[in-house]
C-alpha cells in the first residue's frame, strides 16, 4: 500500500512539474492594423498590411521562449499580410522557413483568435508583460492616429513594460500624445512641429529610414506617400538613430525597443526576449 502511495505521489509530482514547464512565462500583446489600403497623396491608395517576417519571426521566437501571444486590431478583424512581404528574401532566402513562419502567423490570426482594441482594454492591460507592433505600412493608416492605441502605449510606458516595434511599426508610437488624429492629419499636410505631451519625446529610437522609404516610393509608379515616417518621428521629438540602409539595426532606450527595417526581425526578437527576462 505504501509503495502504491509513493507511486501516486510521484505521478502527481511529475504531472505538476510538466504543467509548470508548459505554463507560459507571460502574455505579450501584438497590435496590428485593421486596414489594407494605404492612403497616398492626391487621394490614391496602395495595398498594404503587416510584413510577414516582421510579425512572424518575432512571434515565433516569443512562443519558443515560452510566451503566449494575444493579437489585437482596432476593429477585431483578421489582419492581412502585405503580399510584397511574402518573399524568401525576408527569410534569408529560405522558402521553407517562410512557409513555416506563414503557418505560425496563420494560427495566431485565426478569426476567433483576434481581439478588438476596446475588448482588450476593457479586459485589463495588467495581464500583458509586453506589447509588440509589427511593421508594414498599415500602422500609418489606423494605429498612429488612434487614441485607443495611445491608451495602450501609456499603460506600458507607465509600468515600464517592454514596448517593441519594427520597421514602420514605430510610427504607432505617435498615438501616445495629446491629439494623435490632428497630428497625423498635419503630417500629411507637412504642417506640424513637435508632438504635444508625447510620452516618447527624447527617446532614442529608429524606424524605416528615409533612404529605404525612397526605394519603396520609387516602386509606386510616380505616386507619393503622404509623409515619410522617419521625418515624422524626428519632427515629433524622437532622437532618431539609423544604420546603413537595409542593415539590421535595433535601438533600446528604457522600455522602448525599435527595429529599423525588415532585416532587423531576429535582432528585435532577441532584444524583446532579453527585456522580458529582466522583469
Amino acid at each position: 500500500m505504501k509503495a502504491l502511495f509513493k507511486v501516486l505521489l510521484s505521478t502527481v509530482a511529475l504531472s505538476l512539474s510538466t504543467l509548470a514547464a508548459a505554463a507560459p512565462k507571460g502574455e505579450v500583446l501584438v497590435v496590428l492594423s485593421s486596414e489594407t489600403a494605404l492612403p497616398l497623396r492626391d487621394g490614391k491608395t496602395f495595398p498594404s498590411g503587416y510584413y510577414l517576417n516582421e510579425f512572424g519571426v518575432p512571434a515565433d521566437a516569443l512562443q519558443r521562449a515560452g510566451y503566449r501571444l494575444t493579437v489585437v486590431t482596432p476593429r477585431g478583424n483578421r489582419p492581412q499580410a502585405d503580399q510584397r512581404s511574402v518573399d524568401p528574401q525576408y527569410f534569408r532566402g529560405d522558402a521553407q522557413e517562410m512557409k513555416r513562419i506563414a503557418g505560425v502567423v496563420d494560427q495566431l490570426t485565426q478569426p476567433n483568435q483576434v481581439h478588438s482594441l476596446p475588448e482588450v482594454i476593457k479586459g485589463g492591460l495588467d495581464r500583458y508583460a509586453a506589447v509588440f507592433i509589427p511593421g508594414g505600412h498599415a500602422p500609418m493608416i489606423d494605429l498612429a492616429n488612434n487614441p485607443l492605441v495611445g491608451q495602450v502605449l501609456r499603460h506600458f510606458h507607465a509600468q515600464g513594460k517592454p514596448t517593441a516595434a519594427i520597421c514602420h511599426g514605430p510610427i504607432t508610437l505617435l498615438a501616445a500624445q495629446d491629439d494623435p488624429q490632428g497630428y497625423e492629419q498635419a503630417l500629411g499636410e507637412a504642417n506640424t512641429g513637435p508632438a504635444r505631451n508625447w510620452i516618447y519625446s527624447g527617446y532614442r529610437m529608429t524606424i524605416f529610414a528615409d533612404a529605404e522609404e525612397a526605394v519603396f516610393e520609387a516602386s509606386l509608379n510616380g505616386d507619393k506617400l503622404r509623409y515619410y515616417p522617419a521625418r515624422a518621428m524626428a519632427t515629433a521629438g524622437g532622437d532618431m538613430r539609423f544604420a546603413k540602409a537595409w542593415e539590421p539595426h535595433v535601438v533600446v532606450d528604457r522600455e522602448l525597443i525599435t527595429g529599423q527595417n525588415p532585416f532587423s526581425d531576429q535582432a528585435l526578437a532577441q532584444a524583446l526576449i532579453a527585456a522580458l527576462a529582466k522583469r
Side-chain angles (χ1 to χ4, degrees), residues 122-141:
K122 183 178 180 180
L125 297 171
D126 287 336
R127 63 187 287 181
Y128 301 107
V131 60
F132 166 48
I133 309 162
H137 283 83
M140 296 173 67
I141 309 170

Side-chain angles (χ1 to χ4, degrees), residues 29-32 131-135 139 143 149 153 163-166 169-170 172-173:
L29 187 64
V30 183
V31 181
L32 292 157
V131 60
F132 166 48
I133 309 162
L143 298 186
V149 174
L153 292 173
T163 299
I166 183 170
T172 303
L173 303 174

Side-chain angles (χ1 to χ4, degrees), residues 119-233:
E119 176 188 357
V120 165
I121 292 171
K122 183 178 180 180
L125 297 171
D126 287 336
R127 63 187 287 181
Y128 301 107
V131 60
F132 166 48
I133 309 162
H137 283 83
M140 296 173 67
I141 309 170
D142 64 341
L143 298 186
N145 57 2
N146 194 317
L148 289 181
V149 174
Q151 184 176 338
V152 170
L153 292 173
R154 286 188 182 91
H155 169 84
F156 287 91
H157 173 73
Q159 299 296 321
K161 294 180 179 179
T163 299
I166 183 170
C167 200
H168 288 81
I171 199 69
T172 303
L173 303 174
L174 291 179
Q177 58 169 300
D178 281 355
D179 181 17
Q181 294 175 336
Y183 195 82
E184 197 276 338
Q185 181 63 36
L187 283 172
E189 299 167 356
N191 181 31
T192 189
R196 294 197 307 273
N197 294 321
W198 188 34
I199 63 175
Y200 302 108
S201 180
Y203 270 63
R204 296 185 303 277
M205 63 181 72
T206 192
I207 196 170
F208 203 55
D210 282 355
E212 294 162 333
E213 197 69 84
V215 173
F216 168 78
E217 192 175 55
S219 73
L220 297 179
N221 300 317
D223 290 333
K224 299 293 183 181
L225 294 168
R226 292 179 58 246
Y227 62 88
Y228 272 30
R231 298 175 198 172
M233 300 297 275

